[in-house]
Amino acid sequence: MMPGAVFSYNGIVGDRTVAAGYKNAAVYTSNGVEDGIGGGICQVSSTLYNAVLYANLEIVSRTNHSYPVSYAPKGQDATVSMGSIDFKFKNNAENPIMLKTSVGGGKCTVSVYGKKTKNFSVSVESTILSTNPYTTEYIDDPTMPEGEEKVVREGITGYSVRTVRHVTIDGKTTTQTMPKSNYVTLSKKVKRGTKPKTEEETTPPENSGAAGGSDTPSGAVDTPQQPSDSGQGSDLSGWAE
């Protein structure tokens, strides 16, 4: 990339289609997580975004996901959608730069190379400004017995996050505030049985244990767990040599 050139992620990657070799994978939608062509492509754009941040290049256009992602810190992801959302940055350095990307071992790596004419260092800091817990939405299901519940969609907590980039050049530090990241809240959906139980189901069985003993039913109770926010991390590299 020559000095002054603007990089467009969608312009370089192109349409995400089956003909282009893309496959189904998880994507974010208004209903949570679903499969879609080209799912996972935002891990590449997010890793590129972080490399660009640390290389002290100018961010032209960046948008966070609807919900937080597992492979990047909150406030440091960059979503893309062909025809509507693009990630763009500008080579504001004095010399050409080169991007090198690789994927392997479950990791995506992006490196930025160029001639370093100034002695600079970069640090990126994200702060959660507010947290919006999700609520639980119950759906009555007449086909399920009373007392039974089934989670059909896990909830997602929303956040408002501020990210800043601290750039130190020759001992002098300046702070650049990135666009705020707002992640929406997604309610948890639970089906709840409303079908009345039959007399047979509600009548306890007769005690058939030996004299002096007792029949004590045993069993495990499955407790729904909040999905973890862990995931495969990304190697984030952004430097000039």
Side-chain angles (χ1 to χ4, degrees):
M1 286 180 62
M2 300 302 292
V6 174
F7 179 99
S8 165
Y9 188 87
N10 285 339
I12 293 293
V13 175
D15 290 331
R16 275 72 88 180
T17 63
V18 174
Y22 290 94
K23 299 181 179 180
N24 268 319
V27 297
Y28 279 154
T29 70
S30 59
N31 194 43
V33 181
E34 299 177 357
D35 277 353
I37 297 296
I41 197 169
C42 292
Q43 180 167 350
V44 182
S45 58
S46 295
T47 307
L48 174 62
Y49 173 57
N50 280 269
V52 167
L53 281 178
Y54 284 99
N56 195 29
L57 299 175
E58 180 183 341
I59 306 301
V60 176
S61 176
R62 171 263 172 186
T63 304
N64 62 275
H65 287 78
S66 300
Y67 317 109
V69 297
S70 62
Y71 49 75
K74 296 178 182 67
Q76 297 178 40
D77 57 304
T79 188
V80 290
S81 179
M82 199 64 187
S84 58
I85 303 174
D86 199 1
F87 169 57
K88 297 180 179 180
F89 69 91
K90 181 179 181 179
N91 177 15
N92 57 328
E94 299 175 2
N95 296 285
I97 61 172
M98 180 182 72
L99 302 176
K100 182 179 180 180
T101 66
S102 62
V103 176
K107 294 184 179 182
C108 173
T109 304
V110 176
S111 304
V112 182
Y113 297 91
K115 184 177 181 181
K116 194 170 184 178
T117 59
K118 296 180 180 179
N119 182 23
F120 72 87
S121 62
V122 175
S123 64
V124 179
E125 178 185 10
S126 292
T127 303
I128 296 177
L129 302 177
S130 64
T131 302
N132 305 302
Y134 64 84
T135 57
T136 301
E137 178 183 349
Y138 289 96
I139 306 169
D140 290 339
D141 188 336
T143 66
M144 291 173 54
E146 287 179 328
E148 287 191 11
E149 293 185 351
K150 180 181 180 181
V151 177
V152 295
R153 184 180 73 187
E154 294 291 350
I156 299 177
T157 298
Y159 300 90
S160 178
V161 183
R162 179 182 62 211
T163 300
V164 296
R165 174 169 59 177
H166 305 288
V167 182
T168 301
I169 302 177
D170 296 330
K172 183 179 180 180
T173 302
T174 59
T175 298
Q176 305 164 1
T177 301
M178 301 293 107
K180 187 183 297 183
S181 300
N182 293 309
Y183 302 98
V184 300
T185 303
L186 185 69
S187 64
K188 180 178 181 178
K189 283 189 175 182
V190 179
K191 281 188 177 181
R192 181 168 51 189
T194 59
K195 180 181 179 181
K197 292 185 178 181
T198 64
E199 183 178 347
E200 185 179 65
E201 292 173 322
T202 57
T203 303
E206 293 183 3
N207 188 349
S208 59
S214 64
D215 288 339
T216 303
S218 62
V221 178
D222 291 331
T223 303
Q225 299 293 322
Q226 174 70 15
S228 66
D229 194 30
S230 63
Q232 177 63 57
S234 301
D235 285 344
L236 308 181
S237 309
W239 64 85
E241 294 181 339

